[in-house]
Amino acid sequence: MDGGRAAWAGAAAVACALLLGACDATEPKLPERKSEAKASDFPAADRPVATIVSARWSTEEARDRLNEAEEVMDGAGIAKGMTVADIGAGEGYYTIRLTQRVGPDGRVLAEDIVPEVRDALAQRVARERLDNVSVRLGKADDPRLPEASFDRVLMVHMYHEIAEPYAFLWHLRPSLRPDGLVVVVDANRATQNHGTPPALLRCEFEAVGYRQVSMRPMPSAGGYLATFQAVGPRPEPSAIRPCRLNPPAPKAG
């Protein structure tokens, strides 16, 4: 390796270390929560949970040929200056394109729950010098997002992998700004087959106090795009009633 490459590699490593340290330590600083609910406080999901098989849903080139990211960002109403969270960011396909869409005055927080995936994405962000992107390690039942911070929260091809949907959505609610939206892109098929039926998706969101704002087909992204907005007070975990995938048949007579 020549001197120039060695210097750049060293700088990238330092930048990556600083990026990871900043995201999980001081920026953005997480506010203290008055009451921290545990996953065990919430009902269990009455559905299978898909396994996380890859940080990549498809190749970036194939997705760009379908104009996937542009159509999703248009459908989500993402504009310059917004602050957006990319949950389940994986290798950063949306993270990279979101930073271009929101511009230098916007912010993108990219999150994954797999440490190795988070680290690889942080290295990419440092390598491509994306100054308006932060990278964070989340939890399976709590995205750990700062309160009242996000105009949009994106979950693309990952909702079916959330093992504790009620806890996750409950913890997510405070991170939204008053007009903020949660944007879900998924396939219309069973959760064990890496999709979420729209009726089940709507039911789980509504159980935690969200209202569905829109639902539209999104063939370029392999399914549909749905948006949700938090309404009213956040329910107590004990008051949440789980959605039944196969409700019991009524008794005869």
Side-chain angles (χ1 to χ4, degrees):
M1 179 181 292
D2 61 39
R5 290 183 179 178
W8 164 241
V14 171
C16 179
L18 291 174
L19 181 66
L20 291 174
C23 290
D24 279 330
T26 60
E27 189 206 5
K29 182 176 175 58
L30 289 170
E32 293 295 327
R33 290 185 175 128
K34 292 182 180 180
S35 62
E36 186 68 19
K38 306 181 296 295
S40 59
D41 296 330
F42 296 85
D46 182 34
R47 59 170 172 83
V49 177
T51 56
I52 302 174
V53 294
S54 174
R56 172 184 294 182
W57 180 71
S58 180
T59 67
E60 296 195 5
E61 295 78 9
R63 298 170 85 172
D64 280 344
R65 283 196 297 271
L66 294 173
N67 204 33
E68 176 190 332
E70 292 299 317
E71 290 193 10
V72 168
M73 290 188 293
D74 288 346
I78 295 173
K80 290 190 180 302
M82 282 187 170
T83 299
V84 181
D86 181 13
I87 307 298
E91 295 182 342
Y93 173 75
Y94 273 91
T95 299
I96 304 305
R97 288 149 184 83
L98 284 167
T99 188
Q100 298 165 356
R101 174 65 70 98
V102 302
D105 294 328
R107 296 287 300 174
V108 177
L109 190 151
E111 179 187 292
D112 208 280
I113 65 170
V114 181
E116 296 80 7
V117 173
R118 184 278 313 262
D119 293 350
L121 179 55
Q123 292 171 4
R124 180 177 184 180
V125 167
R127 184 172 63 251
E128 299 189 21
R129 303 183 183 185
L130 303 177
D131 296 333
N132 63 343
V133 177
S134 299
V135 181
R136 178 182 295 282
L137 185 68
K139 296 172 61 179
D141 65 329
D142 184 354
R144 300 178 62 241
L145 300 178
E147 293 187 9
S149 298
F150 295 95
D151 301 293
R152 299 289 186 272
V153 175
L154 261 66
M155 294 190 284
V156 180
H157 296 297
M158 58 77 63
Y159 184 81
H160 50 266
E161 297 172 353
I162 299 176
E164 302 285 348
Y166 304 110
F168 188 92
L169 295 175
W170 190 88
H171 285 115
L172 174 64
R173 275 190 53 147
S175 71
L176 293 168
R177 289 176 173 165
D179 295 327
L181 296 176
V182 181
V183 181
V184 178
V185 175
D186 215 338
N188 183 4
R189 53 177 177 253
T191 52
Q192 65 266 35
N193 296 326
H194 294 272
T196 308
L200 176 63
L201 178 76
R202 182 172 60 253
C203 182
E204 291 185 346
F205 268 83
E206 289 179 349
V208 192
Y210 293 82
R211 175 179 63 88
Q212 183 174 296
V213 176
S214 66
M215 169 74 71
R216 68 181 71 184
M218 191 63 64
S220 63
Y224 59 81
L225 181 149
T227 62
F228 296 87
Q229 188 172 42
V231 294
R234 184 171 61 165
E236 291 296 322
S238 60
I240 296 172
R241 296 294 175 261
C243 302
R244 301 298 299 273
L245 189 61
N246 295 301
K251 294 182 179 180

